[in-house]
Amino acid sequence: MSTPTTAQTPETGTARVKRGMAEQLKGGVIMDVVNAEQAKIAEDAGAVAVMALERVPADIRKDGGVARMSDPNMIEEIIEAVSIPVMAKSRIGHFVEAQVLQSLGVDYIDESEVLTPADEINHSDKWAFTTPFVCGATNLGEALRRIAEGAAMIRSKGEAGTGNVVEAVRHLRQIKNEIAKLRGFDNNELFAAAKDLRAPYELVKEVAELGKLPVVLFSAGGVATPADAALMRQLGAEGVFVGSGIFKSGDPAKRAAAIVKATTFYDDPKIIADASRNLGEAMVGINCDTLPEDQRYANRGW
Amino acid sequence: MSTPTIGVLALQGDVREHLIALAAADALARPVRRPEELAEVDGLVIPGGESTTMSKLAVVFGMLEPLRERVRAGMPVYGTCAGMIMLADKILDGREDQETLGGIDMIVRRNAFGRQNESFEASVEVAGIDGGPVEGVFIRAPWVESVGAAAEVLARHDGHTVAVRQGNVLATSFHPELTGDHRVHGLFVDMVRAAQ
């Protein structure tokens, strides 16, 4: 039998290809890494992707100053070192940093509140890129505004670099509760809901019908233990970003592998218990209620 | 007509989309993470995802050997993207410690179509699928470098083999589960029925 072949021209950078990429990451852990060596540890531990950045959020907090896109050399070294997808962060609204990251061939761009915002009014137009974007959100309206701007994946903001999961829990519950509320609205009410959410009506209607965001929803910000990761999944996150929690801990390789296990078997306390044994010291952590307002990254972006 | 029970390997990846596609193709679909869950299904889908993660978790949670045994014993299996890699007897550009189940005498090159910026959609004619080409969504997709005599090439894109069948084992480089077109899943459900 002869094999048929395709004729049509392939199309890159479509919404389906961008959102579809995030679907492939579901059930997985994306780990912050600052060099090729850490990237390899993350890949060995079963990470589905790594986030390449110069300093993990805990160090950005400690050092202060303006946090920017990472050195292209460092990002390229990480791309070379691993076979899994590599993400990198641009500042909010800094579309030139995003252009640079796209030209380096990263697989996903995180327009991130962890870096110092470059624009206090506008986020980047993410439709203009072939590379897909993930953005943080603290509530449904914020998530939908980012999707309207072209984000192909959403994550909770949490409070990065604190090792404290409380804000990620708050954001995820907020998003889920607001979606549940939309489900109960009739068509008349959806117009007012869109106005309240400050989000496009079409997206609000889509969420009301689907009962979920039209893109993948991950958790980020403050996950430090296997149980934290499993908690976020039980609360409805489809996967987990871990920033400072791994490489600021006593035994990164072991903790990374443990968080991967707990993310897959998030509903099996026995497996989470086994994964939690003898991990050494967790990162120290910061109590979010003692954080001054101007040091709360979740307030960045709008 | 019997309704087969088909599992989706749920260690990591786009499990939900496959469960929806299988249900739409008239199968009873359920996630499979444990050997005892594997024992209860008539067929299995290995979803898209990160093949190195899936392979690692299959080893850690004692799924690798039970999966290999079922595939050897003739259970119908369908793998998309990372799933195709898992079903290859041999892979290129994988990690050195990366385990596969095997099942199709083929050599698969991981991420052969490139990184995410090169990911694309294209229509693909698939042998055995009536009603015109399927929409192929290729995401950091592998291609099949070569196949053995027992394997049948079902589709090519740009000269590269992107769909293969060998006996009860089916594999595609692309992701029909992301399109809402359930014909490829229909073909697989028919394969599972025929094997019952």
Side-chain angles (χ1 to χ4, degrees):
Chain A
M1 190 176 65
S2 71
T3 308
T5 53
T6 42
Q8 285 186 16
T9 336
E11 213 184 331
T12 58
T14 62
R16 197 149 65 176
V17 162
K18 290 173 169 178
R19 293 178 181 187
M21 168 71 199
E23 303 285 354
Q24 309 311 312
L25 301 171
K26 284 192 299 193
V29 183
I30 300 167
M31 303 181 191
D32 277 6
V33 298
V34 301
N35 55 43
E37 188 196 349
Q38 289 187 355
K40 283 186 187 150
I41 292 172
E43 185 182 41
D44 283 343
V48 288
V50 291
M51 176 75 68
L53 74 177
E54 246 159 31
R55 290 174 291 172
V56 295
D59 287 333
I60 292 174
R61 272 186 197 286
K62 206 169 65 190
D63 298 350
V66 175
R68 310 178 179 89
M69 177 188 80
S70 299
D71 185 327
N73 270 348
M74 171 266 189
I75 293 168
E76 278 176 351
E77 278 166 29
I78 288 171
I79 289 174
E80 281 302 305
V82 294
S83 65
I84 57 177
V86 176
M87 302 183 168
K89 290 182 195 289
S90 78
R91 281 180 264 176
I92 289 173
H94 205 314
F95 52 87
V96 173
E97 284 187 350
Q99 289 165 3
V100 170
L101 294 175
Q102 172 166 280
S103 80
L104 295 175
V106 304
D107 296 292
Y108 240 92
I109 297 168
D110 184 0
E111 188 181 22
S112 178
E113 70 283 359
V114 168
L115 305 184
T116 310
D119 188 327
E120 292 188 334
I121 296 167
N122 306 293
H123 285 246
S124 296
D125 168 16
K126 293 164 272 290
W127 296 111
F129 291 79
T130 304
T131 311
F133 278 74
V134 55
C135 289
T138 60
N139 57 48
L140 181 60
E142 202 176 353
L144 295 182
R145 287 193 291 281
R146 296 296 85 77
I147 295 168
E149 294 157 2
M153 180 180 187
I154 295 293
R155 54 170 176 77
S156 66
K157 282 183 174 170
E159 198 50 55
T162 61
N164 189 340
V165 84
V166 65
E167 293 299 314
V169 168
R170 189 195 316 280
H171 300 160
L172 214 59
R173 279 202 189 276
Q174 177 76 22
I175 292 168
K176 301 304 272 191
N177 288 345
E178 287 176 296
I179 291 174
K181 216 166 106 188
L182 279 190
R183 293 283 272 174
F185 284 179
D186 67 27
N187 282 338
N188 303 297
E189 292 169 310
L190 288 178
F191 292 98
K195 201 177 115 198
D196 288 344
L197 289 166
R198 293 190 291 129
Y201 167 74
E202 287 70 24
L203 277 177
V204 172
K205 191 163 186 286
E206 193 179 354
V207 170
E209 281 163 6
L210 288 172
K212 66 185 278 299
L213 294 179
V215 303
V216 167
L217 172 64
F218 266 47
S219 159
V223 170
T225 68
D228 286 350
L231 172 66
M232 299 320 295
R233 288 220 60 199
Q234 287 202 26
L235 288 173
E238 297 176 283
V240 182
F241 285 85
V242 186
S244 320
I246 289 172
F247 289 99
K248 284 286 161 191
S249 75
D251 189 344
K254 200 169 175 190
R255 183 166 295 264
I259 291 176
V260 169
K261 286 184 206 169
T263 300
T264 292
F265 284 93
Y266 63 94
D267 53 354
D268 187 329
K270 274 198 163 144
I271 290 179
I272 301 165
D274 281 341
S276 304
R277 288 176 209 276
N278 298 317
L279 292 182
E281 268 181 66
M283 69 177 288
V284 175
I286 299 172
N287 286 321
C288 293
D289 48 8
T290 60
L291 260 191
E293 277 300 304
D294 65 347
Q295 287 174 34
R296 285 177 178 260
Y297 296 160
N299 293 342
R300 297 169 169 177
W302 23 89
Chain B
M1 209 163 51
S2 68
T3 303
T5 302
I6 301 183
V8 178
L9 188 65
L11 295 172
Q12 189 273 317
D14 66 342
V15 176
R16 178 178 173 273
E17 287 61 37
H18 275 291
L19 291 171
I20 291 169
L22 287 168
D26 294 326
L28 270 178
R30 54 169 73 157
V32 166
R33 285 182 298 179
R34 300 174 174 88
E36 56 272 27
E37 292 162 350
L38 178 63
E40 289 170 6
V41 297
D42 305 314
L44 184 75
V45 167
I46 305 181
E50 182 43 55
S51 63
T52 57
T53 303
M54 243 183 251
S55 153
K56 182 145 245 113
L57 287 167
V59 173
V60 170
F61 290 107
M63 282 295 280
L64 193 68
E65 283 313 316
L67 283 165
R68 281 179 175 159
E69 269 168 41
R70 287 289 315 260
V71 176
R72 267 199 299 268
M75 173 182 66
V77 191
Y78 170 35
T80 61
C81 196
M84 170 186 256
I85 295 168
M86 292 292 284
L87 292 173
D89 283 354
K90 189 164 185 260
I91 53 176
L92 301 175
D93 294 342
R95 281 172 55 89
E96 276 173 25
D97 61 349
Q98 191 169 346
E99 299 279 358
T100 71
L101 308 179
I104 300 182
D105 180 8
M106 61 178 174
I107 300 174
V108 170
R109 187 178 291 280
R110 200 168 150 239
N111 302 339
F113 283 105
R115 304 186 67 87
Q116 176 58 18
N117 287 345
E118 285 81 54
S119 295
F120 63 95
E121 288 184 48
S123 56
V124 183
E125 290 276 1
V126 182
I129 301 283
D130 297 329
V134 303
E135 301 163 71
V137 181
F138 294 80
I139 297 174
R140 288 172 52 99
W143 69 46
V144 180
E145 202 93 355
S146 65
V147 295
E152 182 192 356
V153 173
L154 301 183
R156 291 200 171 92
H157 173 78
D158 202 17
H160 302 290
T161 297
V162 294
V164 177
R165 178 175 176 178
Q166 180 176 324
N168 278 337
V169 187
L170 176 69
T172 61
S173 301
F174 51 91
H175 295 276
E177 74 278 11
L178 296 178
T179 63
D181 176 349
H182 305 308
R183 285 177 294 162
V184 179
H185 287 82
L187 170 70
F188 180 61
V189 174
D190 286 344
M191 285 167 61
V192 179
R193 267 200 207 103
Q196 277 181 309

